[in-house]
Amino acid sequence: MILYDFDLERPNTLEEASALLRDKGADARVLAGGTDLLPNMRVEVVRPATVVSLGAITPRDPVRETDGTVRIDALTRLATLEGSDLIRAACPMLAEAAHRVAGNQIRQMGTLGGNLCQETRCLYYNQKHDYQFKAPCYKRGGEVCYPYPNNDRDTCWSVYMSDTAPALIALGAEVEIVGPGGTRRQPVEQLFTGSGLTPHALGAGEILSAVLVPPAEPRFGWGYHKSSRRGGLEFGMAVMAVGLTLDGDGATCRGARMVIGAVREKPIRLTATEQAMTGAKLDEAKIAELAAAAAKEINPLPHHGFTKSYIRDNIKIHMRRVLSEATARARGTGTAENGGHHD
Amino acid sequence: MNQLNYVGKSLRRKDGPDKITGRAVYSQDVKLPGTLVGRLLRSPHAHARILRIDTSKAMALPGVKAVITIDDTKGIKHGFVETPRYPPDQEVLARGRVRHVGEEIAAVAAIDQITAQRAIDLIEVEYEILPAVFDPLEAMKPGAPEVQPTHPKVRAEVPYSNIGGRTATGWGDVEKGFAESDYVREDRFESHLRTHGYLEPQVTLAHWENDKLNVWTSSMGTFVKRAKLAKVLDLPYSAVRIHKTYVGGTFGGKIDLYSHEYCAARLSMLTGRPVRIVATREEIFSAYRHGQPLIMEIKTGVKKDGTIVAQQVRAINNAGAFRGSGVVVIFLAWGFTMIPYRIPNLAYEGLSVHTNNPVRAPQRGHGCPQIRFAIESQLDTIAEELGIDPVTIRLRNARKPREQLPNGDNVHEGGLIDCIKVAGEKADVVRRYGKGRKAGGTVRRGIGMGVSGYFGGSLIYPNGSGVIVKMADDGSATVLTGAIDVGQGSETVIAQIVAEELFLPIEDVKIVSSDTDTTPQDIGAWISGMTYVTGNAARQAAGNARDKMLQLAAQRFNCGVDDLYVADKVVYNRLDPAQSMSYRDIIALSIATRRGDTVIGEGFWRTMRDVPTHPSLATTKGRWSENYAFSCQTAEVEVDTETGEARVLKALTVHDCGFPVNPALVKNQVDGQVSMALGHAFLEEIMMKDGYTLNPTWLDYRMPTIHEMAESDDADVITEEYVVGKPYRTKEVGEGLVSGVLAAIANAIYDATGVRLHSTPFTPEKILKGLRQLERERRERA
Ligand SMILES: Cc1cc2nc3c(=O)[nH]c(=O)nc-3n(C[C@H](O)[C@H](O)[C@H](O)COP(=O)(O)OP(=O)(O)OC[C@H]3O[C@@H](n4cnc5c(N)ncnc54)[C@H](O)[C@@H]3O)c2cc1C
Ligand code: SF4
């Protein structure tokens, strides 16, 4: 139960919503599916005085534009993405990522825009503070950081845990943003600041209106894995997403995007490993080497009871599997190694 | 009476339709006009003196109807156990000091949730923070912060601080036993902090009206709740009525009296209005009672053939700030040590250590999963050292039927040997064991086995159950029973028994249950004895009503009762087929000729007629149970040796539960316990730091969902011995089966990988660490 009073607005368009947000200032939040915002209001890590519900706005179905770009409204439900023939054909990694989020009930409510704009998480932060951890932490506007008592940099090492963001970055997707100054587009990567305190780079009154996934290049392959303890209805311990293309020889990597989510304040692109990969022949040994390099390049935050070293160990193995899946898909030979998913 | 119509059949649960359709009324669904919302103020500190409480601002807030603190109580203490050695130790609200985060300090009643929350925020408390201790081994050290003084009797025995209770017992001569052993080994195991995970929250609605307290509360036994609540309120039991409601899961966590129950009642008495308090999930995870984490040191000596000669066991319990069931689990861990195997020489010590953690409650198995995990793990290690297979070493030590236990109990038809044999055969253990480790590849399989024994229906307040069967004039029956259906199916089982005894269609049996004013006293759903104790009371009550009717019929027909038989509520004379009389007519006759006797049957049951009370928690002296159930379980696991991720592919439970009154319900119990063991083994863990709970949510306290459930097979081994005609020799099937399978999982992981895990949960991290250690050792050897 949310134990404080707030106002609720229900605009009919995103533009109206944007105007409302700007008018109400920092005390307003948009509500899409509510599966992140409402729990956060319940534990009072956010206390918007005004909630601007987007519930009156109906998203359009995902469409393929003339240049092959897939356009997905930000208000599209995750369950719609999982089940959409278009998404499964044009960007199956996104369908897979959407399917990995939480459980079915939440995917029926949760939207893609909300998934990207979800708050970062930290065990100390995501709970009610009426008697536990009473003194607010930095992210709540206070003066302490519980997991990092020596954190004197007034920073916050909470973790951004969206399952779809790594996939979208690996696909080279963009977001469309509606704001006071009109509409703008930017790569999904640039949506994130890297700060746990204010993880999203959205200006006052800005709202995500759509996600745009470019058409896949020839000999493109993808791999995705969400490591978690339970295997479902759970945030990730680490989320790995890779999109790569091969040369005509079906072995040499022409380019790659390698992204790890749920281990830092934003999804991390492993640019050094991507570079090492480009031009390399992706055989079994090379893939293992690259996965090891990826595990070294990433510097995970320990979170939700997982240690830094185990997260690394886990990434090293699953990244290898993800890479070999992506390579096999790029070759058109299906999955080479079963990723060990628990369905 | 040789053919059974209802007992022994998998009849549909009586509560099924209500629950499936959402019609079932739980405590939270009971609506009374004018109900106030109650909330509790809880301690933000693990250990602090309370210097001042000022409730005036909260009282002054419009909409606030009452605020209470310790000053509004009578200062009467309560406890999970209340014995001369362990008297009640806890007040209903904190007095001058708080000893754990979340301890209850004050309560408010207000017109709505938001006002209640504001009132809580307005209560001013001044604290002086005291040093706190969370780890039991730290707490035992001299000079550790004193959570509670060491029990005066224990002080003379051991030099440790913060000891709330001690159990010390044994027999034979362990030193001599170790000396005579061919092989002795010592291991240390730890079982971590878990919680029950009941879906229905803790909730109480109380209404004081006309000098009577009416209470609806989520519990495991309304009579225990009545006794404790009446006591702390200083009311006669008859002034407190606990009503029946459906209960949404308990698993041991809803036995004790909780502060919110007192507060709801007291606030209602002060305001004259109904008051409801519902605990939030965060409160349940961070301030209510969890299960018991144990540290277990086991030293075992065996002969070359695996025969156990001596065992020394020490169990240390992180008991939290008050006694709770902490002093019980250290007694029970002894019991679960000694039941399954013959141990000629035993030395046992259990210590319950106070720390600045929340208080502990029983949790399904109450010490059994923990101690069996330890003993069965060590037994496999011993077996391997001696070159014996897991089945043989267990058979060598298993108790035989009719064996006498050292405490004077008898295992009667205890079927442990059969359980081990059947489980071994069905899971093909001997042939498969040891193969996994040698197999190549990164995904390895292993098989493991574990054994446990459990008691049923022991003596603890209220010690016995009564049942009344009232015949209606149409020949149908209403059963009054105090038994509470917490989801285990007690109403179904009792209805089956009554239907059987009265030859009634099951639809003609209606149950009125667990209302302290209208039903007889009952032991409650928490000592693994409801089918046995209350079931036998129901059998007697129904038999009593039946006999009254048959006697009348026999008189009328001028024959013996044995000459009669019943079909479809009509009594026939076997000797003269022309003679028959319906129940309806017999009841009318009874009323007419027996001065209005409407035919009411009564029945009572209590375990162990000749035993005055439960055994001593300190010395274990005294008899404990006449119902020992045994089981042997196996688990087949698959381990990814690169990531350390493991899962159970298949579990097998072979048990000896006595006569299964409802086999489908037995199967439900088996599956539920396997699922709970999976949670214990892999997923569930209350993470705490400095007395604060880090994961007080369903999301971060990971319980297995239906997707994590392993295939679960089961078989019972001994039902044939329970002769038809006395089909009520039931034993235990609701708690003990978390244990063997937990141990089996540990043993299976070892079988797959060679990694011996000494602590739960079996995380990928621990498995990987173990594999690396093995790799290092292999390299060093090479
Ligand atoms: C039990 C549980 C499990 C979960 N598991 C997962 C998981 O495994 N993986 C995962 O990724 N997430 C998980 N979530 C988080 C959440 O459910 C999902 O991320 C979901 O997609 C959020 O979408 P929503 O529409 O419900 O967001 P909302 O709650 O409506 O919004 C979330 C945030 O984004 C903002 N926002 C929403 N839409 C827009 C927009 N169009 N433009 C700008 N800002 C916007 C809101 O103001 C709010 O701050 C879980 C949540 C719960 C409760
Ligand atoms: S990491 Fe961030 S959210 Fe967590 S306690 Fe520190 S400041 Fe707060």
Side-chain angles (χ1 to χ4, degrees), chain A residues 122 124-125 137-139 144-148 155-158:
Chain A
C122 157
Y124 298 82
Y125 182 70
C137 70
Y138 291 138
K139 191 167 162 84
V144 290
C145 173
Y146 292 100
Y148 304 102
T155 177
C156 160
W157 285 303
S158 56

Side-chain angles (χ1 to χ4, degrees), chain A:
Chain A
M1 190 169 190
I2 293 171
L3 287 183
Y4 77 95
D5 284 325
F6 57 90
D7 294 331
L8 182 69
E9 302 280 356
R10 259 172 87 86
N12 290 314
T13 64
L14 287 183
E15 289 70 22
E16 278 174 51
S18 164
L20 272 166
L21 279 183
R22 203 185 28 200
D23 292 351
K24 306 280 176 187
D27 272 354
R29 289 272 184 149
V30 294
L31 174 97
T35 62
D36 187 53
L37 184 66
L38 297 179
N40 283 339
M41 285 170 69
R42 191 181 62 76
V43 300
E44 294 180 44
V45 293
V46 291
R47 275 181 67 117
T50 307
V51 170
V52 179
S53 165
L54 305 181
I57 305 168
T58 312
R60 285 155 304 176
D61 284 339
V63 289
R64 201 194 293 262
E65 298 185 328
T66 40
D67 67 348
T69 300
V70 175
R71 183 185 182 88
I72 308 162
D73 273 6
L75 285 172
T76 308
R77 310 269 181 201
L78 296 171
T80 308
L81 288 181
E82 286 177 84
S84 152
D85 290 338
L86 171 62
I87 301 297
R88 284 154 70 141
C91 34
M93 173 151 54
L94 180 58
E96 168 72 7
H99 174 67
R100 291 289 152 197
V101 175
N104 183 45
Q105 284 161 311
I106 286 178
R107 296 195 296 267
Q108 294 289 342
M109 287 304 290
T111 64
L112 182 60
N115 191 272
L116 289 174
C117 295
Q118 67 179 277
E119 261 300 347
T120 52
R121 303 182 71 83
C122 157
L123 285 176
Y124 298 82
Y125 182 70
N126 291 107
Q127 58 169 291
K128 207 148 170 114
H129 291 222
D130 41 9
Y131 56 91
Q132 292 225 109
F133 309 111
K134 242 188 135 163
C137 70
Y138 291 138
K139 191 167 162 84
R140 283 178 162 234
E143 292 300 319
V144 290
C145 173
Y146 292 100
Y148 304 102
N150 299 327
N151 176 0
D152 52 6
R153 296 194 294 148
D154 284 37
T155 177
C156 160
W157 285 303
S158 56
V159 176
Y160 175 75
M161 306 187 88
S162 159
D163 291 329
T164 63
L168 288 172
I169 295 170
L171 289 168
E174 293 188 316
V175 283
E176 184 184 82
I177 297 166
V178 173
T183 302
R184 65 188 177 93
R185 266 168 85 148
Q186 65 176 40
V188 171
E189 272 170 278
Q190 286 172 20
L191 188 59
F192 308 106
T193 62
S195 155
L197 294 171
T198 47
H200 293 95
L202 284 177
E206 287 197 320
I207 300 176
L208 294 198
S209 49
V211 170
L212 303 140
V213 185
E217 287 173 45
R219 289 181 299 281
F220 171 83
W222 61 276
Y224 181 93
H225 178 76
K226 173 176 174 179
S227 283
S228 71
R229 179 65 63 75
R230 180 157 58 187
L233 198 56
E234 190 180 11
F235 282 94
M237 173 181 81
V239 174
M240 289 149 258
V242 170
L244 57 81
T245 50
L246 294 179
D247 279 339
D249 65 357
T252 312
C253 178
R254 236 181 68 194
R257 289 163 166 269
M258 185 184 255
V259 190
I260 300 192
V263 297
R264 298 281 331 182
E265 307 91 323
K266 65 171 186 177
I268 302 290
R269 260 189 84 171
L270 300 180
T271 43
T273 311
E274 284 176 7
Q275 262 166 29
M277 206 160 145
T278 309
K281 275 212 167 26
L282 297 183
D283 56 19
E284 217 179 289
K286 189 70 196 174
I287 284 174
E289 186 192 315
L290 289 165
K296 220 175 251 157
E297 185 177 351
I298 192 74
N299 181 21
L301 290 165
H303 69 90
H304 295 83
F306 303 109
T307 62
K308 182 189 254 204
S309 67
Y310 182 72
I311 296 174
R312 271 213 167 108
D313 286 339
N314 188 281
I315 288 174
K316 185 174 151 190
I317 302 305
H318 283 296
M319 186 56 102
R320 191 193 75 215
R321 296 173 184 176
V322 162
L323 277 174
S324 73
E325 272 175 32
T327 311
R329 284 196 177 104
R331 282 192 193 120
T333 52
T335 55
E337 187 183 3
N338 187 329
H341 288 285
H342 293 192
D343 278 291

